[in-house]
Amino acid sequence: MGLGKLSRKPCFLTIKQKMNIILIGFMGSGKSSTGRKLAKLLEYSFVDTDSAIEEDQGCSVAEIFKYGGEECFRKMETRLLQKLKNVENSVIATGGGIVLREQNQRLLQEIGKRVYLNVPQEELQQRLKNDRNRPLLKKKDPETVVQKMMKERVLLYEQAEYIVDAGQRSPQKIASEIINKLCNEDYDNNF
Ligand code: S3P
């Protein structure tokens, strides 16, 4: 009985302190669904950068791309990240292209711990093949687009503090693994 108690790892996530978890990864990797689950489990706030931008602008991401272009949307992402520097105890699900700007990479690092949801390319292609909402996939050959974009982005995603396999797994499973990883690291650093 005593041993059980001794071997229990204390976890900083259960103690209220300034801490944010940022989910990064390709479109369709499950950042929003996992983020919502994770926030619920940790009793953290949940922010979805795409939804926050849509709310702020009063129109959809697709409309922003259509009328303002990608660059306009990227600027909005940067402006939002600057505001998010003040949040704490939040899970932040980001848009797949947020890592493209160097400025955003620095901001993300400042805001919290980045977790890359890694999904195999074939699975992403499968998940995204009938997508009608994402402006960057509205191309003749979305499979090739995904392939090309993944190649350009994978090294940026891999700069995350944590990488979690998110293929063929439920948001609940992925969220639990994220909590385990973060807790174990905290334990190893402090004891
Ligand atoms: C984008 C991903 C989208 C959205 C926008 C651009 C990208 O978010 O931000 O369509 O460049 O990968 P999701 O990753 O949530 O689909």
Side-chain angles (χ1 to χ4, degrees):
M1 196 172 81
L3 257 184
K5 259 193 175 169
L6 275 176
S7 64
R8 253 190 80 197
K9 295 178 178 181
C11 177
F12 71 100
L13 292 164
T14 58
I15 305 162
K16 286 285 173 199
Q17 57 167 288
K18 186 173 160 53
M19 165 75 188
N20 297 306
I21 301 168
I22 305 166
L23 302 185
I24 63 171
F26 206 77
M27 293 175 257
S29 57
K31 297 169 299 232
S32 304
S33 46
T34 302
R36 232 172 270 120
K37 192 78 206 173
L38 186 59
K40 203 165 175 202
L41 289 172
L42 294 171
E43 296 181 357
Y44 276 23
S45 310
F46 176 64
V47 180
D48 181 293
T49 59
D50 283 347
S51 307
I53 289 171
E54 288 181 329
E55 223 165 88
D56 184 57
Q57 296 298 312
C59 60
S60 68
V61 170
E63 284 167 323
I64 299 170
F65 268 75
K66 185 169 173 192
Y67 299 110
E70 181 172 350
E71 191 49 28
C72 169
F73 177 71
R74 299 294 174 213
K75 278 187 192 147
M76 290 173 185
E77 285 185 313
T78 303
R79 259 206 319 266
L80 175 62
L81 288 184
Q82 277 157 347
K83 284 191 204 156
L84 291 177
K85 281 205 285 189
N86 299 321
V87 301
E88 36 190 82
N89 297 328
S90 297
V91 175
I92 303 167
T94 59
I98 206 150
V99 293
L100 292 173
R101 284 186 154 203
E102 258 182 60
Q103 189 182 359
N104 292 358
Q105 292 163 25
R106 281 194 298 274
L107 283 164
L108 292 169
Q109 213 172 344
E110 231 177 282
I111 294 167
K113 297 274 187 198
R114 295 161 299 174
V115 180
Y116 168 34
L117 301 193
N118 183 23
V119 175
Q121 188 178 294
E122 301 70 45
E123 195 176 331
L124 286 174
Q125 283 168 323
Q126 197 58 31
R127 290 186 192 182
L128 294 167
K129 72 177 182 200
N130 295 319
D131 190 276
R132 298 277 168 273
N133 299 319
R134 291 177 170 96
L136 293 176
L137 299 180
K138 281 190 183 151
K139 305 272 159 65
K140 259 199 189 134
D141 184 2
E143 287 205 2
T144 311
V145 175
V146 169
Q147 191 180 8
K148 194 169 162 271
M149 284 169 68
M150 255 312 260
K151 213 170 159 193
E152 287 163 1
R153 293 177 178 187
V154 71
L155 289 177
L156 301 174
Y157 294 141
E158 284 176 356
Q159 286 175 17
E161 282 77 19
Y162 302 91
I163 300 179
V164 171
D165 287 327
Q168 306 271 348
R169 293 167 90 192
S170 67
Q172 168 81 40
K173 278 245 160 67
I174 303 166
S176 306
E177 185 176 333
I178 293 171
I179 294 174
N180 276 337
K181 274 189 188 257
L182 288 161
C183 288
N184 282 335
E185 192 204 65
D186 180 61
Y187 183 81
D188 292 342
N189 286 344
N190 291 299
F191 297 92

